[in-house]
Amino acid sequence: MKKILIIHTGGTIAMMEDKETGAVQQNQQNPLLLHTDALSTIADVKVEELFQLPSPHITEKEMLLLKKQIEKSIVEDEIEGVVITHGTDTLEETAYFLDITVQSDIPIVVTGAMRSSNELGADGPYNLISAVRVATSDSAVGMGVLVVLNDEIHTAKNVTKTHTSNIATFQSPQYGPLGIVSKREITFHHMPTIRETYDIEEITKNVVLLKAYAGMDDQVLRAIRTIQPNGLVIEALGQGNLPPKMVPELRELMDSGIPVVLVSRCFNGYVQDVYNYEGGGRRLKDLGVIFSNGLNGQKARLKLLVTLEITIDHDELQEMFYK
Ligand code: ASP
């Protein structure tokens, strides 16, 4: 049997519903621990409760701790796979952070649940078993960090939470899942083409994320300049365009040494330097804005946070964001 490390971090998967009030909350005892015996028939499992946090409370600090814990267990305990249980709200962010920072090819699978442990149709125990099965699969080696829920296997890079409450919430727009979980087997039908990792020891930077909208002016950008972040990611319009009133302040921001990365608020497609009008992608590119490659805003923010630990050079950052 393969040696699998299960790390619990909290989230709905580890919560219970108060039948009187309907409120979902944490209890003293993590209900997921009740399933450890059942999992022992699939793998040689070691269970750690690293945190007991709802995922809106997860920060880069916890993500980094997880990375270090995984790398330590690979060396000290010779684990062959990792499963992380996590709240679904920021699950894709933790999964992506680990995807670009963990220096290993072993399967790392992140899972969660949309219904708490004592609700009718609770999906947590089933998702946990599926995640452990995927983590033991030889085919999952070298696939990068995977997200497994609702019988689907997704890449950390492409998956996103698309629905506030439906159990089929995790989808990979434009790409689809990498594989499926069925009663008998784990089947992969695609493979990721690129795996990029950055070996970082700490997170020392501050990167903010901003969403553009019709008629946006420079007010928020001016406020951002006063806090002097180390980087800014903007979810731009369409193929990578911004309202013209933002441009002068954007120039000021970049002149003050703050790198600006552009993604699209569309959830399919890439940003490109196409339009040659004030605020258009071509002009933004000429100004020095870095174009990303289809990542959503929250993941581009993490990528900038991580890559800024390696370099602050504009061209090197642009190269990394083309990957
Ligand atoms: N709000 C919860 C969390 O992310 C949602 C969940 O776990 O599904 O912790």
Side-chain angles (χ1 to χ4, degrees), residues 10-254:
T12 298
I13 191 167
M15 293 183 190
M16 293 179 87
E17 183 187 50
D18 180 325
K19 293 292 177 199
E20 267 170 34
T21 64
V24 172
Q25 60 204 30
Q26 274 164 217
N27 276 24
Q28 291 288 65
Q29 168 87 350
N30 182 344
L32 284 173
L33 297 175
L34 300 172
H35 303 287
T36 308
D37 284 350
L39 296 170
S40 304
T41 60
I42 307 169
D44 174 6
V45 295
K46 181 178 171 211
V47 179
E48 280 177 20
E49 269 195 281
L50 202 52
F51 328 112
Q52 188 39 300
L53 293 173
S55 76
H57 295 198
I58 297 273
T59 69
E60 301 89 19
K61 195 171 130 247
E62 283 79 26
M63 296 181 196
L64 194 65
L65 256 166
L66 266 169
K67 164 196 152 60
K68 291 188 175 172
Q69 186 63 20
I70 291 169
E71 288 175 344
K72 182 167 158 259
S73 300
I74 292 172
V75 176
E76 291 180 4
D77 305 325
E78 296 179 338
I79 52 161
E80 296 164 278
V82 182
V83 169
I84 298 161
T85 66
H86 197 287
T88 59
D89 291 351
T90 63
L91 187 152
E92 67 192 81
E93 281 160 271
T94 296
Y96 182 66
F97 180 89
L98 296 174
D99 190 47
I100 59 170
T101 58
V102 173
Q103 306 297 303
S104 171
D105 259 1
I106 68 165
I108 299 173
V109 182
V110 190
T111 192
M114 297 301 286
R115 298 185 187 130
S116 64
S117 60
N118 60 338
E119 282 177 64
L120 205 59
D123 49 336
Y126 182 81
N127 284 339
L128 178 58
I129 289 174
S130 300
V132 173
R133 288 179 61 209
V134 173
T136 60
S137 164
D138 289 337
S139 315
V141 175
M143 291 286 199
V145 174
L146 300 170
V147 170
V148 171
L149 285 99
N150 200 35
D151 280 341
E152 291 186 345
I153 309 168
H154 294 264
T155 60
K157 185 173 181 179
N158 296 322
V159 79
T160 193
K161 186 173 181 179
T162 64
H163 196 289
T164 54
S165 56
N166 193 304
I167 59 165
T169 184
F170 282 94
Q171 306 285 331
S172 298
Q174 187 161 252
Y175 304 99
L178 272 195
I180 56 168
V181 175
S182 62
K183 274 213 173 1
R184 310 255 175 273
E185 51 200 34
I186 304 300
T187 314
F188 284 88
H189 42 72
H190 293 131
M191 271 183 80
T193 46
I194 307 167
R195 171 103 202 266
E196 40 163 348
T197 60
Y198 305 98
D199 196 7
I200 52 150
E201 280 303 312
E202 49 181 0
I203 294 286
T204 59
K205 313 287 189 206
N206 174 26
V207 173
V208 292
L209 171 62
L210 185 65
K211 186 171 194 144
Y213 52 85
M216 193 170 195
D217 60 19
D218 62 356
Q219 273 185 69
V220 187
L221 285 178
R222 275 193 278 127
I224 287 176
R225 192 145 61 93
T226 63
I227 55 171
Q228 281 289 308
N230 302 99
L232 167 67
V233 175
I234 304 178
E235 281 185 24
L237 313 175
Q239 276 191 70
N241 311 304
L242 291 174
K245 283 192 179 149
M246 292 176 74
V247 174
E249 186 57 32
L250 198 64
R251 190 181 288 119
E252 291 284 337
L253 264 173
M254 288 188 295

